[in-house]
Amino acid sequence: MKRNYLLEIKKQEFVTGLTMALFPHYTNTGHLQCTVIGAFGENIVEKSPLNVLNESCEYYGSSFEGRLKSAQQILKRQKNLPIMVSITLEYCMIPLGSPLKKDTAWVSFRYIKQIDPKGANSIITFHNGVQLEVNISKDVLETRLNKAARLISTYQLRQKMNKDKRMINLIAEDPEEY
């Protein structure tokens, strides 16, 4: 796997529209850290991927637990659910393991261009050409992508329905608005 990025250490990082993936790694002293792979480079954050996600959810107005409960309500009886870090900005992260484990890797729904099998693993190709080999099968990863697509479309539909309801109320209450 080729990555031509500069690595720098930061103390704080949030998931943004440029975040492609969060990967855990342990330091020589056994501390869990997170490599944030962005569209233009990588950052090492001195926090776990789960902590980065939780702080990102809080930054955008919720918490990891709140976003997880919302996903559970929409995708009933499903496991390993995606998380909408920001509903408004449609930042949806897909877990490559259990979402509750601190050392689970996460990938951004919006950046995945293609998934190719490689034995029991998969190779994810992002829209900017970066490729990552991950220890999850293509079929399982595509199922998780489908869950993320359903979650995103449900939130989009809810926002549209709320907007339509406001327009109906405006029409019914005040005909002079035209």
Side-chain angles (χ1 to χ4, degrees), residues 71-88:
Q72 288 169 338
Q73 188 270 331
I74 293 169
L75 302 168
K76 296 181 183 346
R77 295 179 297 280
Q78 301 283 327
K79 295 188 188 239
N80 300 319
L81 298 174
I83 297 296
M84 289 294 290
V85 176
S86 171
I87 294 170
T88 307

Side-chain angles (χ1 to χ4, degrees), residues 44-78:
I44 294 175
V45 180
E46 296 174 339
K47 298 175 184 174
S48 71
L50 187 57
N51 285 344
V52 171
L53 278 175
N54 187 50
E55 289 180 9
S56 298
C57 289
E58 288 173 354
Y59 180 79
Y60 293 112
S62 187
S63 68
F64 180 85
E65 288 180 9
R67 297 292 192 211
L68 184 59
K69 284 181 183 178
S70 180
Q72 288 169 338
Q73 188 270 331
I74 293 169
L75 302 168
K76 296 181 183 346
R77 295 179 297 280
Q78 301 283 327

Side-chain angles (χ1 to χ4, degrees), residues 8-56:
E8 66 181 75
I9 296 181
K10 291 187 174 182
K11 292 191 183 266
Q12 186 173 9
E13 183 70 42
F14 295 107
V15 171
T16 69
L18 298 175
T19 304
M20 296 191 316
L22 304 174
F23 277 88
H25 71 274
Y26 288 91
T27 65
N28 293 339
T29 58
H31 290 91
L32 179 59
Q33 294 185 337
C34 179
T35 300
V36 179
I37 300 173
F40 301 108
E42 296 180 10
N43 295 317
I44 294 175
V45 180
E46 296 174 339
K47 298 175 184 174
S48 71
L50 187 57
N51 285 344
V52 171
L53 278 175
N54 187 50
E55 289 180 9
S56 298

Side-chain angles (χ1 to χ4, degrees), residues 97-111:
S98 169
L100 299 176
K101 290 186 177 178
K102 288 185 175 214
D103 62 352
T104 292
W106 295 77
V107 292
S108 173
F109 176 82
R110 85 170 29 173
Y111 276 99

Side-chain angles (χ1 to χ4, degrees), residues 102-156:
K102 288 185 175 214
D103 62 352
T104 292
W106 295 77
V107 292
S108 173
F109 176 82
R110 85 170 29 173
Y111 276 99
I112 296 175
K113 178 181 179 181
Q114 182 176 321
I115 303 167
D116 295 307
K118 185 175 181 186
N121 294 342
S122 299
I123 296 177
I124 298 173
T125 303
F126 294 103
H127 286 289
N128 65 355
V130 171
Q131 292 185 325
L132 293 174
E133 184 173 343
V134 295
N135 60 349
I136 185 172
S137 74
K138 178 182 179 187
D139 291 341
V140 170
L141 189 51
E142 285 185 345
T143 298
R144 292 186 188 177
L145 277 173
N146 291 338
K147 289 178 198 176
R150 182 162 172 228
L151 187 64
I152 292 167
S153 67
T154 298
Y155 283 122
Q156 288 172 337

